[in-house]
């Protein structure tokens, strides 16, 4: 297959490109505007520097290239930013995705793998935890809504255009780095817990803040389902094959196991041997108390078989990548 990977220079996209190159013979084309991605993270394929907001370019490009499949990562993804700048999210994430889907349908693309998020579920009622794919989708921020709208566009397009199929992957908390140390999360001004903790462990930050210990959880800090980026990447390869013999579908991507913020920080301290400073502060706006996936569907239907379901390994690979970044 000839596959377009949008956002393939980013954190998750680059791990998928790595696996496509390592394990398949597919022809890979990466499109990225390099606003948040890094050219050196793309280990395989042909690189095209372009922006999905250039709709004329995208239409010509897709017509010319004749892709069989698209894996679409390119998006804005910082929740608090989406609250203060929602239009950026609706344009970058929803409008550009609608155009990409239009060009995909018109140019005969058969498979579309879409990066979605647990943020589409909003703040689920306790009775829905762990969260399966039937849980109501009620986003509580523009980021989650921009992704949910894209999901709906994809569903409607697929219904109207038979032969155009999709898999929507709803990511829980993605963390860690390539165990071989080739790539990792290089995001500037990171906000994600494990990345920030790894930065504290290397000394790049003098402390880490815990946003609230007054939640209705056993230790009072928020609980999340942390999935290793290479396990998440493997789900994309499975999804591509799945569409050969199956209809479009939606899958939650996680391990069905949650850890609290304090547990994560203690694990990072344990695996690095660094007792970095931890300061408890108030809640961060928009944080649900608990988000844990029910992964039964992805395990049974996609045959998802995680290899790195181990918080210590996730923290260790994140830390090792951080040390590499520091040495650059
Ligand atoms: N946290 C801290 N201190 C920090 C950073 C984070 O205490 O310095 C806490 C947060 O308050 C939260 C938890 O760690 O309770 C996880 O926060 P992250 O910022 O790492 O991730 P989020 O859960 O906010 O969001 C991520 C993705 C979303 C996705 C969600 C799904 O960014 O797209 O996971 O669970 F929807």
């Amino acid at each position: 297959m000839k596959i377009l990977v949008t956002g393939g220079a980013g954190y998750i996209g680059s791990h998928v490109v790595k696996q496509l190159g390592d394990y398949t013979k597919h022809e890979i084309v990466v499109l990225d505007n390099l606003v948040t991605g890094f050219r050196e993270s793309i280990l395989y394929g042909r690189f095209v520097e372009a922006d999905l907001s250039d709709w004329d370019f995208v239409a010509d490009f897709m017509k010319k290239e004749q892709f069989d499949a698209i894996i679409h990562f390119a998006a804005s993804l910082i929740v608090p930013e989406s609250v203060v700048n929602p239009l950026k999210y609706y344009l970058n994430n929803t409008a550009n995705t609608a155009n990409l889907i239009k060009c995909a349908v018109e140019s005969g693309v058969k498979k579309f793998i879409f990066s979605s998020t647990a943020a589409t579920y909003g703040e689920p009622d306790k009775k829905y935890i762990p969260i399966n794919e039937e849980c109501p989708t009620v986003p509580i921020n523009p980021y989650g809504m921009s992704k949910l709208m894209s999901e709906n566009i994809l569903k409607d397009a697929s219904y109207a255009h038979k032969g155009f199929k999709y898999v929507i992957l709803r990511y829980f908390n993605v963390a860690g780095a390539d165990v071989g140390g080739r790539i990792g999360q290089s995001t500037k001004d990171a906000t994600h817990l494990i990345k920030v903790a790894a930065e504290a462990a290397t000394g790049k930050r003098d402390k880490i803040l815990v946003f609230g210990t007054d939640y209705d959880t056993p230790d009072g800090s928020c609980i999340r389902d942390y999935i290793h980026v290479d396990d998440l990447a493997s789900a994309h390869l499975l999804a591509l094959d799945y569409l050969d013999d199956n209809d479009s579908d939606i899958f939650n991507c996680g391990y069905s196991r949650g850890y609290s913020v304090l547990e994560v920080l203690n694990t990072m301290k344990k695996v690095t041997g660094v007792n970095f400073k931890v300061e408890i502060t108030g809640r961060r706006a928009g944080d649900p108390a608990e988000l844990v996936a029910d992964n039964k569907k992805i395990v049974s239907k996609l045959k998802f078989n995680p290899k790195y379901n181990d918080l210590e390994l996730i923290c260790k690979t994140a830390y090792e990548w951080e040390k590499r970044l520091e040495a650059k």
Side-chain angles (χ1 to χ4, degrees):
M1 276 190 293
K2 182 172 177 182
I3 303 176
L4 172 64
V5 183
T6 74
Y11 171 45
I12 304 169
S14 63
H15 284 79
V16 170
V17 169
K18 178 195 72 168
Q19 290 195 13
L20 286 170
D22 281 350
Y23 304 132
T24 77
K25 301 237 173 307
H26 299 311
E27 181 181 347
I28 308 159
V29 179
V30 172
L31 184 149
D32 201 296
N33 61 8
L34 298 183
V35 169
T36 52
F38 298 87
R39 176 71 186 87
E40 64 272 20
S41 302
I42 306 168
L43 300 182
Y44 294 99
R46 174 156 56 90
F47 174 58
V48 177
E49 185 172 348
D51 197 300
L52 290 179
S53 64
D54 187 346
W55 290 12
D56 290 338
F57 168 82
V58 175
D60 287 349
F61 172 71
M62 301 277 294
K63 203 163 145 195
K64 193 172 100 227
E65 296 279 354
Q66 294 288 303
F67 295 106
D68 300 297
I70 299 183
I71 311 181
H72 178 39
F73 295 99
S76 301
L77 44 78
I78 300 168
V79 171
E81 183 192 45
S82 80
V83 177
V84 294
N85 196 355
L87 297 177
K88 173 175 175 183
Y89 282 71
Y90 291 119
L91 289 169
N92 270 354
N93 294 1
T94 314
N96 290 344
T97 297
N99 180 62
L100 183 68
I101 294 168
K102 172 177 180 278
C103 297
V105 167
E106 287 175 357
S107 65
V109 169
K110 299 275 178 293
K111 302 177 181 181
F112 197 102
I113 313 299
F114 181 60
S115 292
S116 192
T117 167
T120 53
Y121 295 115
E123 169 106 59
D125 193 277
K126 262 196 183 313
K127 69 178 180 211
Y128 290 114
I129 294 173
I131 301 165
N132 69 30
E133 292 78 358
E134 304 306 315
C135 173
T137 44
V138 195
I140 55 168
N141 52 58
Y143 168 66
M145 184 57 89
S146 73
K147 288 283 185 176
L148 184 62
M149 289 165 78
S150 303
E151 289 190 5
N152 289 332
I153 294 167
L154 203 45
K155 285 180 198 167
D156 290 346
S158 172
Y159 181 81
H161 302 279
K162 303 294 171 217
F164 175 70
K165 296 202 275 189
Y166 65 84
V167 166
I168 291 167
L169 297 174
R170 291 185 179 145
Y171 309 161
F172 281 64
N173 288 56
V174 190
D178 171 37
V179 285
R182 287 180 286 174
I183 49 175
Q185 187 172 10
S186 304
T187 323
K188 302 253 187 297
D189 306 319
T191 58
H192 288 125
L193 180 68
I194 290 184
K195 168 86 178 165
V196 173
E199 289 178 351
T202 59
K204 188 173 167 193
R205 294 181 189 243
D206 58 358
K207 64 178 177 198
I208 181 161
L209 298 175
V210 174
F211 299 128
T213 50
D214 57 349
Y215 286 93
D216 183 16
T217 59
D219 68 17
S221 64
C222 289
I223 294 176
R224 296 288 183 274
D225 186 337
Y226 295 91
I227 176 172
H228 189 279
V229 63
D230 263 320
D231 279 337
L232 179 67
S234 74
H236 296 74
L237 275 67
L238 293 169
L240 279 176
D241 290 344
Y242 180 83
L243 288 178
D244 285 337
D245 306 309
N246 298 281
D247 288 335
S248 300
D249 216 332
I250 300 183
F251 298 99
N252 282 348
C253 302
Y255 293 143
S256 298
R257 164 78 161 94
Y259 289 95
S260 73
V261 172
L262 296 177
E263 284 173 321
V264 168
L265 297 182
N266 286 335
T267 306
M268 185 61 86
K269 286 183 176 183
K270 182 179 164 203
V271 301
T272 61
V274 183
N275 188 20
F276 51 85
K277 190 171 165 206
V278 173
E279 199 174 294
I280 313 284
T281 181
R283 291 183 179 197
R284 188 174 72 174
D287 278 341
E290 183 169 2
L291 282 176
V292 176
D294 175 337
N295 72 4
K296 281 194 211 74
K297 186 176 174 189
I298 191 169
V299 167
S300 67
K301 293 185 85 174
L302 265 197
K303 310 288 177 230
F304 177 60
N305 181 19
K307 287 200 227 150
Y308 307 109
N309 182 357
D310 173 351
L311 185 63
E312 291 195 6
L313 180 107
I314 292 174
C315 287
K316 189 162 169 281
T317 54
Y319 174 66
E320 279 165 0
W321 177 251
E322 212 51 56
K323 281 197 299 187
R324 276 203 167 76
L325 277 183
E326 225 186 18
K328 274 188 185 176

